[in-house]
Amino acid sequence: MTSGKQLFSTLADGKLTVELVETSFADPTGNQVLVRMEAAPINPSDLALLTNGADLENAEYSAGKFVADMPEPFNRAQQGRHGLRLPVGNEGAGTVVAAGEGEAAQALVGQRVACVPGTAYAQYCLADATMCLPLGELSAEQGASAFVNPMTALGFVETAKMEGQGAIIHTAAASNLGQMLIRICQEDDIPLVNIVRKAEHVELLRGLGAQYVVNSAEDDFLDQLRSAIADTGAYLGFDPIGGGQMADTCFRAMEQVAVSKMSEYSRYGSDQPKKMYIYGRLDVSPTILTPAYGFGWTLSGWLLTPFLQAAGMETVVRMRQRVLAGLTSTFASAYKRRVTLEEMLTREAVLEYRAMKTGEKYLVTPHA
């Protein structure tokens, strides 16, 4: 039995408690491995348990712990987790210090691996050996973000190929994931329309070689978007914003371009299929649609795990091999700040990483 610190999140009686707890980690069995965690990123997907809609500005902060009010409707929307003490941290990297009796697990003993245990904000974690990625000579920091963003960005491209689409629209495109998607699309020769909301983000992405970057804050945004869609034929989009009208705006621009290419008028609009996937909730307000874009449109959700299950093991293995080969280039992640488990629960850190600003990704170092 191994002991160490682990972070847990509990929502009860309208209050969110996030705290470090001294925990005993069970010995691995079967194909499990015990990983001594060295680095774990804070991704937007982690915030669903870590912060969600809690009132963090007025929370009570103490050593290794914060307690915050969870206002409505966020409290009611999470009824399923009320009273549950949940571990946090989707992914990370570290060294395998023990393994179960399974052959795949035993082969990893002593190796540095990237993993997706769902309990990464801890000094140790149990992980499935078949889901671990041996890092070889790469550091834990280089491998810490080897799954969520790289496999998601690759998943977008694989989805487009599976659906017979030759171009992609991506919103909130200046993110770490968005920059990876630019590099992937350049390598695969797939036109990519990047939507951002700041002039500095336009410059950032153009500096990466992005050809189509449109700024939603500019007066001629819709004209820019229509022009990019006309040039690329992008009728498939991925949106991490979720709330508001960005998906609606993309649908309208797609339809207007499609209608402009019609030889005859139709009261039903174009027959051009248009699809937007929502894969995040950077904006937790309702998704607003004003369907004035024909009837050939689809709005759907996209999550990495169901995609990987549907894609099949051959595709997943190919994707993982590509990520490993490009961890210091195509799939490299940059971090603004490195924090210990204790430091990640301070007021300053919580308010900063909860804001999810471009270029301000945090890395947790459990044993620092």
Side-chain angles (χ1 to χ4, degrees):
M1 191 77 71
T2 303
S3 296
K5 297 175 183 177
Q6 182 172 9
L7 188 146
F8 289 94
S9 171
T10 306
L11 179 60
D13 301 321
K15 289 188 178 295
L16 177 71
T17 300
V18 179
E19 59 186 333
L20 289 175
V21 178
E22 190 68 24
T23 304
S24 294
F25 299 89
D27 295 330
T29 60
N31 264 335
Q32 290 181 325
V33 292
L34 182 68
V35 183
R36 182 183 185 274
M37 297 301 294
E38 299 165 21
I42 300 178
N43 294 313
S45 56
D46 294 307
L47 301 185
L49 292 180
L50 191 56
T51 59
N52 203 276
D55 180 8
L56 301 174
E57 288 79 4
N58 298 302
E60 297 178 9
Y61 294 90
S62 55
K65 180 178 180 178
F66 71 77
V67 181
D69 289 333
M70 183 67 73
E72 299 294 355
F74 304 105
N75 184 59
R76 185 169 58 254
Q78 301 177 76
Q79 284 185 339
R81 64 168 290 197
H82 285 190
L84 300 178
R85 193 176 75 162
L86 301 174
V88 189
N90 285 322
E91 66 176 336
T95 301
V96 176
V97 294
E101 61 275 13
E103 184 177 344
Q106 285 291 321
L108 293 177
V109 174
Q111 293 195 51
R112 180 175 290 119
V113 300
C115 55
V116 278
T119 59
Y121 301 149
Q123 292 184 312
Y124 296 89
C125 72
L126 287 171
D128 185 337
T130 61
M131 290 299 291
C132 289
L133 184 65
L135 295 174
E137 297 301 316
L138 297 178
S139 69
E141 179 170 322
Q142 289 171 317
S145 295
F147 279 96
V148 176
N149 282 352
M151 294 294 277
T152 298
L154 265 183
F156 294 167
V157 173
E158 292 291 334
T159 297
K161 292 176 180 178
M162 291 174 183
E163 297 187 5
Q165 298 294 319
I168 296 171
I169 295 174
H170 187 220
T171 72
S175 65
N176 184 277
L177 186 154
Q179 295 176 47
M180 288 183 188
L181 185 59
I182 288 171
R183 294 190 286 265
I184 295 168
C185 288
Q186 288 170 341
E187 292 173 3
D188 291 9
D189 196 25
I190 295 175
L192 177 65
V193 177
N194 301 277
I195 299 177
V196 297
R197 60 186 178 88
K198 293 182 179 180
E200 53 263 40
H201 294 166
V202 174
E203 295 304 313
L204 171 65
L205 299 195
R206 292 213 183 279
L208 295 175
Q211 183 176 358
Y212 299 98
V213 187
V214 296
N215 185 351
S216 62
E218 294 183 357
D219 293 338
D220 63 343
F221 164 57
L222 200 53
D223 289 337
Q224 293 182 41
L225 183 57
R226 283 192 294 256
S227 177
I229 293 171
D231 285 352
T232 60
Y235 293 99
L236 172 70
F238 294 88
D239 173 37
I241 301 170
Q245 291 186 264
M246 183 53 73
D248 180 76
T249 299
C250 291
F251 278 138
R252 284 191 287 117
M254 291 176 187
E255 175 67 2
Q256 288 165 8
V257 172
V259 167
S260 72
K261 297 181 178 182
M262 291 171 57
S263 58
E264 296 181 1
Y265 167 77
S266 170
R267 74 186 74 180
Y268 303 113
S270 78
D271 59 2
Q272 170 66 53
K274 301 168 286 289
K275 192 167 191 177
M276 290 293 296
Y277 282 106
I278 291 177
Y279 73 95
R281 298 294 296 183
L282 295 177
D283 182 345
V284 296
S285 67
T287 303
I288 300 172
L289 298 178
T290 57
Y293 18 82
F295 292 89
W297 58 274
T298 304
L299 180 66
S300 183
W302 196 99
L303 283 175
L304 178 58
T305 301
F307 165 77
L308 295 177
Q309 292 170 343
M313 186 53 65
E314 182 179 340
T315 298
V316 172
V317 170
R318 173 168 50 80
M319 291 169 64
R320 289 178 62 180
Q321 290 173 339
R322 183 172 178 180
V323 170
L324 182 59
L327 269 181
T328 59
S329 53
T330 304
F331 304 103
S333 291
Y335 304 100
K336 174 186 178 179
R337 184 176 171 189
R338 291 147 186 81
V339 291
T340 64
L341 287 168
E342 289 81 5
E343 289 169 343
M344 74 176 288
L345 299 184
T346 63
R347 187 177 191 275
E348 176 191 3
V350 170
L351 293 181
E352 190 164 61
Y353 61 67
R354 195 272 298 268
M356 296 180 289
K357 294 181 179 178
T358 299
E360 296 191 1
K361 194 177 182 73
Y362 269 55
L363 184 72
V364 182
T365 53
H367 281 277

